[in-house]
mmCIF file of all heavy atoms in Angstrom:
data_model
loop_
_atom_site.group_PDB
_atom_site.id
_atom_site.type_symbol
_atom_site.label_atom_id
_atom_site.label_comp_id
_atom_site.label_asym_id
_atom_site.label_seq_id
_atom_site.Cartn_x
_atom_site.Cartn_y
_atom_site.Cartn_z
ATOM 1 N N GLU A 37 59.149 91.338 96.633
ATOM 2 C CA GLU A 37 58.576 90.104 96.065
ATOM 3 C C GLU A 37 59.148 89.675 94.726
ATOM 4 O O GLU A 37 59.541 88.514 94.563
ATOM 5 C CB GLU A 37 57.052 90.219 96.005
ATOM 6 C CG GLU A 37 56.400 88.922 95.606
ATOM 7 C CD GLU A 37 54.896 89.033 95.536
ATOM 8 O OE1 GLU A 37 54.402 89.629 94.551
ATOM 9 O OE2 GLU A 37 54.241 88.571 96.461
ATOM 10 N N ASP A 122 58.592 99.283 96.889
ATOM 11 C CA ASP A 122 58.565 100.579 97.570
ATOM 12 C C ASP A 122 58.644 101.748 96.576
ATOM 13 O O ASP A 122 57.695 102.458 96.367
ATOM 14 C CB ASP A 122 59.625 100.680 98.673
ATOM 15 C CG ASP A 122 61.032 100.358 98.216
ATOM 16 O OD1 ASP A 122 61.246 100.026 97.044
ATOM 17 O OD2 ASP A 122 61.960 100.446 99.053
ATOM 18 N N LEU A 123 59.782 101.909 95.902
ATOM 19 C CA LEU A 123 59.915 103.003 94.952
ATOM 20 C C LEU A 123 59.253 102.709 93.613
ATOM 21 O O LEU A 123 58.697 103.593 92.977
ATOM 22 C CB LEU A 123 61.392 103.358 94.737
ATOM 23 C CG LEU A 123 62.106 103.987 95.926
ATOM 24 C CD1 LEU A 123 63.589 104.142 95.629
ATOM 25 C CD2 LEU A 123 61.508 105.349 96.266
ATOM 26 N N TYR A 125 60.457 102.153 90.605
ATOM 27 C CA TYR A 125 61.001 102.745 89.380
ATOM 28 C C TYR A 125 61.122 101.683 88.267
ATOM 29 O O TYR A 125 61.057 101.998 87.098
ATOM 30 C CB TYR A 125 62.380 103.368 89.619
ATOM 31 C CG TYR A 125 62.316 104.808 90.066
ATOM 32 C CD1 TYR A 125 62.285 105.128 91.413
ATOM 33 C CD2 TYR A 125 62.278 105.842 89.142
ATOM 34 C CE1 TYR A 125 62.216 106.450 91.825
ATOM 35 C CE2 TYR A 125 62.197 107.164 89.540
ATOM 36 C CZ TYR A 125 62.179 107.468 90.898
ATOM 37 O OH TYR A 125 62.106 108.757 91.290
ATOM 38 N N GLN A 127 63.694 99.859 87.099
ATOM 39 C CA GLN A 127 64.771 100.023 86.113
ATOM 40 C C GLN A 127 66.159 99.706 86.617
ATOM 41 O O GLN A 127 67.114 99.814 85.860
ATOM 42 C CB GLN A 127 64.740 101.426 85.570
ATOM 43 C CG GLN A 127 64.786 102.525 86.622
ATOM 44 C CD GLN A 127 64.589 103.909 86.012
ATOM 45 O OE1 GLN A 127 65.500 104.490 85.496
ATOM 46 N NE2 GLN A 127 63.376 104.419 86.095
ATOM 47 N N GLU A 134 73.185 98.543 81.300
ATOM 48 C CA GLU A 134 73.776 99.623 80.489
ATOM 49 C C GLU A 134 75.164 100.003 81.041
ATOM 50 O O GLU A 134 76.115 100.143 80.280
ATOM 51 C CB GLU A 134 72.840 100.845 80.482
ATOM 52 C CG GLU A 134 73.387 102.082 79.808
ATOM 53 C CD GLU A 134 73.692 101.904 78.323
ATOM 54 O OE1 GLU A 134 73.105 100.986 77.705
ATOM 55 O OE2 GLU A 134 74.520 102.667 77.805
ATOM 56 N N GLY A 137 77.609 97.355 80.202
ATOM 57 C CA GLY A 137 77.755 97.058 78.780
ATOM 58 C C GLY A 137 77.216 95.683 78.392
ATOM 59 O O GLY A 137 77.653 95.071 77.431
ATOM 60 N N HIS A 140 70.328 92.893 77.860
ATOM 61 C CA HIS A 140 69.316 92.639 78.898
ATOM 62 C C HIS A 140 67.963 92.349 78.268
ATOM 63 O O HIS A 140 67.758 92.613 77.093
ATOM 64 C CB HIS A 140 69.208 93.853 79.838
ATOM 65 C CG HIS A 140 68.354 94.931 79.246
ATOM 66 N ND1 HIS A 140 68.857 95.888 78.387
ATOM 67 C CD2 HIS A 140 67.025 95.187 79.363
ATOM 68 C CE1 HIS A 140 67.879 96.685 77.993
ATOM 69 N NE2 HIS A 140 66.762 96.289 78.563
ATOM 70 N N THR A 142 63.641 92.429 79.925
ATOM 71 C CA THR A 142 62.839 92.716 81.124
ATOM 72 C C THR A 142 61.550 91.906 81.141
ATOM 73 O O THR A 142 61.071 91.436 80.128
ATOM 74 C CB THR A 142 62.475 94.207 81.179
ATOM 75 O OG1 THR A 142 61.841 94.566 79.952
ATOM 76 C CG2 THR A 142 63.702 95.071 81.367
ATOM 77 N N ARG A 155 67.798 81.967 76.099
ATOM 78 C CA ARG A 155 66.543 82.206 75.415
ATOM 79 C C ARG A 155 65.524 82.459 76.528
ATOM 80 O O ARG A 155 65.340 81.615 77.419
ATOM 81 C CB ARG A 155 66.145 81.000 74.574
ATOM 82 C CG ARG A 155 64.895 81.235 73.716
ATOM 83 C CD ARG A 155 64.764 80.130 72.682
ATOM 84 N NE ARG A 155 63.563 80.255 71.872
ATOM 85 C CZ ARG A 155 62.408 79.641 72.152
ATOM 86 N NH1 ARG A 155 62.293 78.865 73.209
ATOM 87 N NH2 ARG A 155 61.356 79.788 71.337
ATOM 88 N N GLU A 159 57.280 88.941 78.896
ATOM 89 C CA GLU A 159 55.848 89.226 78.915
ATOM 90 C C GLU A 159 55.620 90.567 78.245
ATOM 91 O O GLU A 159 56.303 91.547 78.550
ATOM 92 C CB GLU A 159 55.405 89.285 80.386
ATOM 93 C CG GLU A 159 53.926 89.504 80.549
ATOM 94 C CD GLU A 159 53.540 89.561 82.024
ATOM 95 O OE1 GLU A 159 53.880 88.608 82.776
ATOM 96 O OE2 GLU A 159 52.960 90.563 82.430
ATOM 97 N N ASP A 162 48.727 92.856 77.517
ATOM 98 C CA ASP A 162 47.470 92.246 77.050
ATOM 99 C C ASP A 162 47.559 90.756 76.764
ATOM 100 O O ASP A 162 46.946 90.263 75.797
ATOM 101 C CB ASP A 162 46.957 92.975 75.786
ATOM 102 C CG ASP A 162 46.582 94.427 76.101
ATOM 103 O OD1 ASP A 162 46.101 94.654 77.230
ATOM 104 O OD2 ASP A 162 46.819 95.283 75.258
ATOM 105 N N PHE A 165 53.189 87.368 74.642
ATOM 106 C CA PHE A 165 54.557 87.004 75.052
ATOM 107 C C PHE A 165 55.468 86.991 73.842
ATOM 108 O O PHE A 165 55.011 87.025 72.704
ATOM 109 C CB PHE A 165 54.575 85.607 75.700
ATOM 110 C CG PHE A 165 53.759 85.528 76.963
ATOM 111 C CD1 PHE A 165 52.422 85.155 76.928
ATOM 112 C CD2 PHE A 165 54.334 85.804 78.195
ATOM 113 C CE1 PHE A 165 51.667 85.078 78.080
ATOM 114 C CE2 PHE A 165 53.574 85.754 79.357
ATOM 115 C CZ PHE A 165 52.251 85.366 79.308
ATOM 116 N N HIS A 167 59.565 85.299 72.701
ATOM 117 C CA HIS A 167 60.857 84.744 73.045
ATOM 118 C C HIS A 167 61.959 85.626 72.485
ATOM 119 O O HIS A 167 61.832 86.162 71.380
ATOM 120 C CB HIS A 167 61.005 83.320 72.501
ATOM 121 C CG HIS A 167 60.229 82.316 73.295
ATOM 122 N ND1 HIS A 167 59.090 81.715 72.847
ATOM 123 C CD2 HIS A 167 60.442 81.815 74.548
ATOM 124 C CE1 HIS A 167 58.617 80.900 73.765
ATOM 125 N NE2 HIS A 167 59.421 80.942 74.813
ATOM 126 N N GLU A 169 66.377 85.833 72.199
ATOM 127 C CA GLU A 169 67.663 85.170 72.459
ATOM 128 C C GLU A 169 68.737 86.246 72.603
ATOM 129 O O GLU A 169 68.670 87.280 71.914
ATOM 130 C CB GLU A 169 67.981 84.271 71.260
ATOM 131 C CG GLU A 169 68.774 83.036 71.647
ATOM 132 C CD GLU A 169 69.022 82.143 70.431
ATOM 133 O OE1 GLU A 169 69.985 82.397 69.705
ATOM 134 O OE2 GLU A 169 68.215 81.221 70.241
ATOM 135 N N VAL A 218 65.675 113.813 92.874
ATOM 136 C CA VAL A 218 65.609 113.816 94.330
ATOM 137 C C VAL A 218 64.162 113.668 94.799
ATOM 138 O O VAL A 218 63.271 114.375 94.335
ATOM 139 C CB VAL A 218 66.187 115.132 94.904
ATOM 140 C CG1 VAL A 218 66.070 115.166 96.408
ATOM 141 C CG2 VAL A 218 67.642 115.287 94.453
ATOM 142 N N GLU A 220 61.581 114.648 96.883
ATOM 143 C CA GLU A 220 61.496 115.888 97.649
ATOM 144 C C GLU A 220 60.436 115.812 98.725
ATOM 145 O O GLU A 220 60.554 116.367 99.807
ATOM 146 C CB GLU A 220 61.161 117.030 96.681
ATOM 147 C CG GLU A 220 61.530 118.389 97.180
ATOM 148 C CD GLU A 220 61.416 119.424 96.063
ATOM 149 O OE1 GLU A 220 60.332 119.601 95.507
ATOM 150 O OE2 GLU A 220 62.432 120.032 95.759
ATOM 151 N N LYS A 221 59.330 115.121 98.423
ATOM 152 C CA LYS A 221 58.237 115.118 99.367
ATOM 153 C C LYS A 221 57.398 113.846 99.187
ATOM 154 O O LYS A 221 57.081 113.465 98.062
ATOM 155 C CB LYS A 221 57.351 116.344 99.097
ATOM 156 C CG LYS A 221 56.363 116.638 100.196
ATOM 157 C CD LYS A 221 55.593 117.912 99.854
ATOM 158 C CE LYS A 221 54.261 117.936 100.602
ATOM 159 N NZ LYS A 221 53.242 118.630 99.848
ATOM 160 N N TYR A 223 53.758 112.073 100.415
ATOM 161 C CA TYR A 223 52.494 112.473 101.025
ATOM 162 C C TYR A 223 51.374 111.543 100.612
ATOM 163 O O TYR A 223 51.495 110.793 99.632
ATOM 164 C CB TYR A 223 52.144 113.925 100.640
ATOM 165 C CG TYR A 223 52.238 114.214 99.146
ATOM 166 C CD1 TYR A 223 51.113 114.209 98.343
ATOM 167 C CD2 TYR A 223 53.486 114.473 98.555
ATOM 168 C CE1 TYR A 223 51.198 114.462 96.987
ATOM 169 C CE2 TYR A 223 53.579 114.733 97.182
ATOM 170 C CZ TYR A 223 52.422 114.713 96.395
ATOM 171 O OH TYR A 223 52.532 114.962 95.065
ATOM 172 N N THR A 231 34.007 108.704 96.916
ATOM 173 C CA THR A 231 33.659 107.337 97.279
ATOM 174 C C THR A 231 32.649 107.369 98.429
ATOM 175 O O THR A 231 32.881 108.029 99.429
ATOM 176 C CB THR A 231 34.911 106.559 97.719
ATOM 177 O OG1 THR A 231 35.910 106.689 96.729
ATOM 178 C CG2 THR A 231 34.596 105.095 97.951
ATOM 179 N N GLN A 232 31.533 106.668 98.248
ATOM 180 C CA GLN A 232 30.577 106.541 99.376
ATOM 181 C C GLN A 232 31.060 105.404 100.247
ATOM 182 O O GLN A 232 31.000 104.244 99.852
ATOM 183 C CB GLN A 232 29.196 106.175 98.857
ATOM 184 C CG GLN A 232 28.479 107.292 98.136
ATOM 185 C CD GLN A 232 27.018 106.896 97.901
ATOM 186 O OE1 GLN A 232 26.352 106.311 98.779
ATOM 187 N NE2 GLN A 232 26.512 107.221 96.719
ATOM 188 N N ILE A 234 30.620 102.900 103.118
ATOM 189 C CA ILE A 234 29.449 102.324 103.767
ATOM 190 C C ILE A 234 29.874 101.789 105.130
ATOM 191 O O ILE A 234 30.736 100.910 105.218
ATOM 192 C CB ILE A 234 28.835 101.222 102.871
ATOM 193 C CG1 ILE A 234 28.413 101.867 101.537
ATOM 194 C CG2 ILE A 234 27.661 100.550 103.573
ATOM 195 C CD1 ILE A 234 27.966 100.898 100.507
ATOM 196 N N GLU A 252 20.349 102.646 93.249
ATOM 197 C CA GLU A 252 21.171 103.691 92.660
ATOM 198 C C GLU A 252 21.813 103.192 91.351
ATOM 199 O O GLU A 252 21.868 103.880 90.360
ATOM 200 C CB GLU A 252 22.261 104.154 93.635
ATOM 201 C CG GLU A 252 21.693 104.979 94.775
ATOM 202 C CD GLU A 252 22.753 105.428 95.776
ATOM 203 O OE1 GLU A 252 23.975 105.394 95.461
ATOM 204 O OE2 GLU A 252 22.368 105.808 96.898
ATOM 205 N N ASP B 103 61.546 98.694 79.000
ATOM 206 C CA ASP B 103 62.635 97.843 78.557
ATOM 207 C C ASP B 103 63.825 98.645 78.004
ATOM 208 O O ASP B 103 64.947 98.212 78.129
ATOM 209 C CB ASP B 103 62.114 96.880 77.462
ATOM 210 C CG ASP B 103 63.053 95.702 77.214
ATOM 211 O OD1 ASP B 103 63.356 94.976 78.183
ATOM 212 O OD2 ASP B 103 63.474 95.503 76.068
ATOM 213 N N LYS B 107 67.752 102.794 79.735
ATOM 214 C CA LYS B 107 69.049 102.697 79.097
ATOM 215 C C LYS B 107 69.432 104.047 78.445
ATOM 216 O O LYS B 107 70.560 104.509 78.558
ATOM 217 C CB LYS B 107 68.914 101.634 77.985
ATOM 218 C CG LYS B 107 70.083 100.762 77.740
ATOM 219 C CD LYS B 107 69.634 99.628 76.808
ATOM 220 C CE LYS B 107 70.795 99.181 75.972
ATOM 221 N NZ LYS B 107 71.888 98.590 76.774
ATOM 222 N N LEU B 116 65.381 108.014 84.501
ATOM 223 C CA LEU B 116 64.021 108.064 83.951
ATOM 224 C C LEU B 116 63.063 108.123 85.134
ATOM 225 O O LEU B 116 63.013 107.186 85.941
ATOM 226 C CB LEU B 116 63.743 106.805 83.112
ATOM 227 C CG LEU B 116 62.297 106.655 82.644
ATOM 228 C CD1 LEU B 116 62.004 107.611 81.489
ATOM 229 C CD2 LEU B 116 62.016 105.213 82.227
ATOM 230 N N SER B 118 59.996 107.259 86.160
ATOM 231 C CA SER B 118 59.067 106.362 85.512
ATOM 232 C C SER B 118 57.671 106.438 86.137
ATOM 233 O O SER B 118 57.537 106.735 87.316
ATOM 234 C CB SER B 118 59.588 104.925 85.594
ATOM 235 O OG SER B 118 59.871 104.595 86.918
ATOM 236 N N ARG B 133 54.821 111.111 91.243
ATOM 237 C CA ARG B 133 54.673 109.673 90.959
ATOM 238 C C ARG B 133 54.245 108.956 92.227
ATOM 239 O O ARG B 133 54.305 109.517 93.321
ATOM 240 C CB ARG B 133 55.956 109.079 90.348
ATOM 241 C CG ARG B 133 57.165 109.096 91.254
ATOM 242 C CD ARG B 133 58.411 108.686 90.495
ATOM 243 N NE ARG B 133 58.324 107.318 89.973
ATOM 244 C CZ ARG B 133 58.487 106.224 90.696
ATOM 245 N NH1 ARG B 133 58.752 106.295 91.996
ATOM 246 N NH2 ARG B 133 58.396 105.047 90.161
ATOM 247 N N PHE B 136 55.013 102.746 96.762
ATOM 248 C CA PHE B 136 54.336 101.648 97.444
ATOM 249 C C PHE B 136 53.049 101.257 96.745
ATOM 250 O O PHE B 136 51.971 101.192 97.347
ATOM 251 C CB PHE B 136 54.074 102.027 98.911
ATOM 252 C CG PHE B 136 55.333 102.227 99.702
ATOM 253 C CD1 PHE B 136 55.857 103.500 99.889
ATOM 254 C CD2 PHE B 136 56.026 101.153 100.216
ATOM 255 C CE1 PHE B 136 57.024 103.680 100.598
ATOM 256 C CE2 PHE B 136 57.202 101.335 100.925
ATOM 257 C CZ PHE B 136 57.710 102.590 101.117
ATOM 258 N N GLN B 137 53.128 101.051 95.420
ATOM 259 C CA GLN B 137 52.006 100.571 94.619
ATOM 260 C C GLN B 137 50.783 101.464 94.786
ATOM 261 O O GLN B 137 49.661 100.985 94.810
ATOM 262 C CB GLN B 137 51.647 99.135 95.021
ATOM 263 C CG GLN B 137 52.866 98.261 95.157
ATOM 264 C CD GLN B 137 52.851 97.072 94.203
ATOM 265 O OE1 GLN B 137 51.840 96.719 93.641
ATOM 266 N NE2 GLN B 137 53.998 96.478 94.036
ATOM 267 N N ASN B 141 52.059 109.174 97.476
ATOM 268 C CA ASN B 141 52.547 109.934 96.339
ATOM 269 C C ASN B 141 53.896 110.540 96.673
ATOM 270 O O ASN B 141 54.199 110.732 97.861
ATOM 271 C CB ASN B 141 51.599 111.071 96.006
ATOM 272 C CG ASN B 141 50.491 110.662 95.053
ATOM 273 O OD1 ASN B 141 50.391 109.468 94.731
ATOM 274 N ND2 ASN B 141 49.709 111.596 94.623
ATOM 275 N N ASP B 143 56.794 113.726 95.268
ATOM 276 C CA ASP B 143 57.302 114.720 94.329
ATOM 277 C C ASP B 143 58.763 114.422 94.096
ATOM 278 O O ASP B 143 59.542 114.285 95.048
ATOM 279 C CB ASP B 143 57.182 116.136 94.934
ATOM 280 C CG ASP B 143 55.750 116.600 94.986
ATOM 281 O OD1 ASP B 143 54.882 115.937 94.378
ATOM 282 O OD2 ASP B 143 55.493 117.644 95.619
ATOM 283 N N ARG B 145 62.082 115.894 92.285
ATOM 284 C CA ARG B 145 62.676 117.056 91.589
ATOM 285 C C ARG B 145 63.866 116.585 90.772
ATOM 286 O O ARG B 145 64.753 115.910 91.295
ATOM 287 C CB ARG B 145 63.115 118.111 92.604
ATOM 288 C CG ARG B 145 63.748 119.344 91.939
ATOM 289 C CD ARG B 145 64.061 120.428 92.954
ATOM 290 N NE ARG B 145 62.856 121.014 93.514
ATOM 291 C CZ ARG B 145 62.131 121.970 92.916
ATOM 292 N NH1 ARG B 145 62.514 122.428 91.745
ATOM 293 N NH2 ARG B 145 61.069 122.468 93.493
ATOM 294 N N SER B 147 67.190 117.538 88.545
ATOM 295 C CA SER B 147 68.119 118.647 88.502
ATOM 296 C C SER B 147 69.220 118.377 87.500
ATOM 297 O O SER B 147 69.360 117.263 86.997
ATOM 298 C CB SER B 147 68.718 118.890 89.888
ATOM 299 O OG SER B 147 69.346 117.710 90.341
ATOM 300 N N ARG B 186 72.020 93.054 70.237
ATOM 301 C CA ARG B 186 72.334 91.735 70.781
ATOM 302 C C ARG B 186 71.097 90.864 71.006
ATOM 303 O O ARG B 186 71.194 89.652 71.068
ATOM 304 C CB ARG B 186 73.137 91.913 72.085
ATOM 305 C CG ARG B 186 74.480 92.597 71.818
ATOM 306 C CD ARG B 186 75.090 93.136 73.082
ATOM 307 N NE ARG B 186 74.309 94.268 73.619
ATOM 308 C CZ ARG B 186 74.689 95.010 74.660
ATOM 309 N NH1 ARG B 186 75.819 94.724 75.293
ATOM 310 N NH2 ARG B 186 73.946 96.003 75.084
ATOM 311 N N LYS B 188 67.858 88.927 69.930
ATOM 312 C CA LYS B 188 67.238 88.369 68.716
ATOM 313 C C LYS B 188 65.800 87.969 69.055
ATOM 314 O O LYS B 188 65.567 86.910 69.640
ATOM 315 C CB LYS B 188 68.000 87.120 68.238
ATOM 316 C CG LYS B 188 69.486 87.363 68.039
ATOM 317 C CD LYS B 188 69.778 88.209 66.783
ATOM 318 C CE LYS B 188 71.267 88.566 66.702
ATOM 319 N NZ LYS B 188 71.502 90.037 66.645
ATOM 320 N N GLU B 190 61.863 86.763 68.686
ATOM 321 C CA GLU B 190 61.004 85.904 67.851
ATOM 322 C C GLU B 190 59.612 86.537 67.800
ATOM 323 O O GLU B 190 59.357 87.513 68.471
ATOM 324 C CB GLU B 190 60.956 84.482 68.458
ATOM 325 C CG GLU B 190 62.324 83.831 68.494
ATOM 326 C CD GLU B 190 62.353 82.538 69.316
ATOM 327 O OE1 GLU B 190 61.293 81.913 69.473
ATOM 328 O OE2 GLU B 190 63.434 82.194 69.831
ATOM 329 N N PHE B 193 53.506 85.976 70.634
ATOM 330 C CA PHE B 193 52.446 84.977 70.610
ATOM 331 C C PHE B 193 51.569 85.074 71.852
ATOM 332 O O PHE B 193 51.948 85.713 72.828
ATOM 333 C CB PHE B 193 53.068 83.568 70.539
ATOM 334 C CG PHE B 193 53.887 83.214 71.755
ATOM 335 C CD1 PHE B 193 53.319 82.474 72.795
ATOM 336 C CD2 PHE B 193 55.221 83.609 71.871
ATOM 337 C CE1 PHE B 193 54.076 82.153 73.929
ATOM 338 C CE2 PHE B 193 55.956 83.296 72.999
ATOM 339 C CZ PHE B 193 55.392 82.554 74.015
ATOM 340 N N ARG B 194 50.399 84.453 71.753
ATOM 341 C CA ARG B 194 49.505 84.336 72.929
ATOM 342 C C ARG B 194 49.514 82.886 73.365
ATOM 343 O O ARG B 194 49.611 82.004 72.549
ATOM 344 C CB ARG B 194 48.087 84.775 72.581
ATOM 345 C CG ARG B 194 47.902 86.241 72.792
ATOM 346 C CD ARG B 194 46.438 86.596 72.707
ATOM 347 N NE ARG B 194 46.182 87.816 73.450
ATOM 348 C CZ ARG B 194 45.343 88.771 73.066
ATOM 349 N NH1 ARG B 194 44.659 88.609 71.954
ATOM 350 N NH2 ARG B 194 45.152 89.857 73.781
ATOM 351 N N ARG B 213 44.725 89.410 96.771
ATOM 352 C CA ARG B 213 45.554 88.805 97.807
ATOM 353 C C ARG B 213 44.853 88.626 99.156
ATOM 354 O O ARG B 213 45.227 87.742 99.928
ATOM 355 C CB ARG B 213 46.761 89.713 98.107
ATOM 356 C CG ARG B 213 47.939 89.503 97.236
ATOM 357 C CD ARG B 213 48.987 90.479 97.725
ATOM 358 N NE ARG B 213 49.936 90.801 96.653
ATOM 359 C CZ ARG B 213 51.039 90.096 96.435
ATOM 360 N NH1 ARG B 213 51.342 89.068 97.179
ATOM 361 N NH2 ARG B 213 51.848 90.442 95.455
ATOM 362 N N SER B 256 48.648 93.089 82.422
ATOM 363 C CA SER B 256 49.091 91.885 81.724
ATOM 364 C C SER B 256 47.938 90.935 81.426
ATOM 365 O O SER B 256 48.122 89.885 80.812
ATOM 366 C CB SER B 256 50.188 91.160 82.532
ATOM 367 O OG SER B 256 49.775 90.977 83.859
ATOM 368 N N PHE B 298 40.310 102.231 96.981
ATOM 369 C CA PHE B 298 39.246 103.174 97.371
ATOM 370 C C PHE B 298 39.342 104.498 96.604
ATOM 371 O O PHE B 298 38.402 105.279 96.595
ATOM 372 C CB PHE B 298 39.269 103.407 98.887
ATOM 373 C CG PHE B 298 38.821 102.198 99.686
ATOM 374 C CD1 PHE B 298 39.691 101.579 100.566
ATOM 375 C CD2 PHE B 298 37.551 101.698 99.522
ATOM 376 C CE1 PHE B 298 39.283 100.460 101.291
ATOM 377 C CE2 PHE B 298 37.132 100.572 100.248
ATOM 378 C CZ PHE B 298 37.986 99.951 101.120
ATOM 379 N N ALA B 301 36.988 103.701 93.777
ATOM 380 C CA ALA B 301 35.718 103.048 94.088
ATOM 381 C C ALA B 301 34.566 104.056 94.200
ATOM 382 O O ALA B 301 34.769 105.178 94.647
ATOM 383 C CB ALA B 301 35.828 102.261 95.389
ATOM 384 N N ASP B 302 33.374 103.632 93.774
ATOM 385 C CA ASP B 302 32.178 104.431 93.996
ATOM 386 C C ASP B 302 31.592 104.110 95.348
ATOM 387 O O ASP B 302 31.059 104.966 96.046
ATOM 388 C CB ASP B 302 31.150 104.129 92.907
ATOM 389 C CG ASP B 302 31.677 104.503 91.526
ATOM 390 O OD1 ASP B 302 31.636 105.679 91.182
ATOM 391 O OD2 ASP B 302 32.192 103.591 90.825
ATOM 392 N N TYR B 303 31.644 102.837 95.735
ATOM 393 C CA TYR B 303 31.174 102.391 97.044
ATOM 394 C C TYR B 303 32.288 101.619 97.715
ATOM 395 O O TYR B 303 32.936 100.769 97.075
ATOM 396 C CB TYR B 303 29.939 101.485 96.896
ATOM 397 C CG TYR B 303 28.784 102.132 96.186
ATOM 398 C CD1 TYR B 303 28.540 101.876 94.838
ATOM 399 C CD2 TYR B 303 27.952 103.037 96.855
ATOM 400 C CE1 TYR B 303 27.484 102.487 94.177
ATOM 401 C CE2 TYR B 303 26.893 103.653 96.203
ATOM 402 C CZ TYR B 303 26.669 103.378 94.855
ATOM 403 O OH TYR B 303 25.630 103.995 94.209
ATOM 404 N N GLY B 304 32.510 101.889 98.984
ATOM 405 C CA GLY B 304 33.575 101.177 99.680
ATOM 406 C C GLY B 304 33.121 100.644 101.031
ATOM 407 O O GLY B 304 32.327 101.276 101.717
#
Side-chain angles (χ1 to χ4, degrees):
Chain A
E37 187 180 76
D122 54 359
L123 291 174
Y125 272 91
Q127 54 187 279
E134 174 62 23
H140 80 275
T142 53
R155 185 167 178 266
E159 183 180 306
D162 296 325
F165 296 91
H167 285 108
E169 212 178 85
V218 178
E220 202 169 59
K221 194 178 157 212
Y223 49 99
T231 308
Q232 288 191 41
I234 299 172
E252 288 178 18
Chain B
D103 196 56
K107 217 170 150 64
L116 172 75
S118 55
R133 64 188 299 282
F136 296 97
Q137 315 240 345
N141 272 6
D143 288 350
R145 180 176 291 279
S147 57
R186 296 163 292 186
K188 306 287 173 237
E190 298 170 24
F193 64 96
R194 271 192 156 141
R213 274 181 205 272
S256 51
F298 290 118
D302 298 279
Y303 302 99

